[in-house]
Amino acid sequence: MSARVRGLLAKGLAPLLPARLVDGEEHLARAEALAGAGYGLLVLMNHFSKRDGLQVLRLLYSRPLLQHRPTLVPVASHLAGPAVQTLARLGDVDLALMTTPQAVASLGLAPSTGENALAYARRAVTTLAAGGIVPLAPQAGRQPTLGEPEMRVTSMLLAQARRQRVANFALLFVGLGLPGVDAYPLADVGGLNLGRTYLIEVGSPLPFEAALAEAGTFRQLDPWVFARLRPLVPAAYR
């Protein structure tokens, strides 16, 4: 039932969440084939708006084989309102309510209002082990540029995968942007941007062990992830 609902949601939300896949159709097909072979997908994306995670899910759920996969989505705890909760229930999507550093600094939220990082990492790895989908923003919150890694977001999760002896998943890289935009100040583009067309570029998926071999070490993983994302995001966001 959830796969059918996810497919319907992906189509039904299209007018509000229009997007154009600029490049990477073959990489998306490869990711779908990996999922069909039992691999989970850790989807690493840039993050400038409240819509990014939803846009990525709509892209993935447009592929039949990916509609069936268990999904865990990290969401800022202060943004997980009734609409988000309802969409999650309809699509049978698990939410991990997180409190970002920005929310702590700007809203005065206590970190304890969200799930702690280790508990989230364990849930994410368990989802990947089951062949599921985990979207993740390595920037750990909305940012006006890709920048450089300030937190060890990806390496923390992958180190947990190694501790749990889970390796049957691939890293999929997704770059998001907006046409005709020269800069990405959060005050202008940080919201839902309903009706605006997003540009999407998908990079080549890499199985976990191959990704680690290319990155070199766990310490080098986070800079490597940003280097992988950089060519996929608009020049104005780099």
Side-chain angles (χ1 to χ4, degrees):
M1 178 64 75
S2 63
R4 181 173 178 272
V5 171
R6 287 172 176 179
L8 291 173
L9 284 173
K11 292 179 180 179
L13 290 173
L16 293 177
L17 309 176
R20 178 161 57 91
L21 183 60
V22 177
D23 196 16
E25 173 65 34
E26 71 280 16
H27 300 318
L28 192 57
R30 171 63 177 156
E32 188 177 21
L34 285 168
Y39 278 73
L41 292 176
L42 177 62
V43 186
L44 299 164
M45 62 184 188
N46 63 305
H47 190 21
F48 64 86
S49 77
K50 295 177 181 178
R51 173 175 151 187
D52 302 332
L54 190 57
Q55 192 71 63
V56 166
L57 285 183
R58 182 181 165 250
L59 171 71
L60 298 177
Y61 289 164
S62 68
R63 315 293 294 206
L65 278 180
L66 300 182
Q67 291 173 5
H68 301 266
R69 303 293 157 176
T71 304
L72 176 68
V73 178
V75 177
S77 57
H78 64 287
L79 297 178
V84 171
Q85 300 277 0
T86 298
L87 280 175
R89 282 196 301 273
L90 288 173
D92 194 22
V93 170
D94 290 329
L95 299 181
L97 303 186
M98 313 295 292
T99 300
T100 64
Q102 294 99 315
V104 173
S106 62
L107 301 177
L109 296 182
S112 59
T113 58
E115 190 168 332
N116 72 63
L118 179 56
Y120 161 69
R122 287 171 175 162
R123 288 180 67 198
V125 171
T126 299
T127 301
L128 293 171
I133 296 169
V134 178
L136 180 67
Q139 295 157 290
R142 289 175 295 153
Q143 300 292 346
T145 63
L146 183 63
E148 299 295 337
E150 296 183 4
M151 299 176 64
R152 299 183 64 187
V153 174
T154 310
S155 59
M156 177 200 68
L157 196 154
L158 296 184
Q160 184 61 35
R162 177 56 58 85
R163 282 191 289 270
Q164 292 180 219
R165 299 183 180 181
V166 171
N168 62 321
F169 65 94
L171 282 63
L172 179 65
F173 302 88
V174 178
L176 302 169
L178 290 165
V181 170
D182 297 324
Y184 286 77
L186 300 187
D188 294 339
V189 299
L192 289 171
N193 301 313
L194 296 178
R196 297 183 71 174
T197 298
Y198 274 45
L199 305 178
I200 302 177
E201 291 200 38
V202 179
S204 177
L206 277 178
F208 169 48
E209 295 294 352
L212 184 57
E214 185 174 305
T217 66
F218 276 98
R219 185 173 294 276
Q220 295 169 304
L221 263 171
D222 297 286
W224 174 81
V225 165
F226 275 63
R228 273 269 181 167
L229 277 174
R230 205 171 305 280
L232 303 176
V233 305
Y237 193 75
R238 294 173 189 167

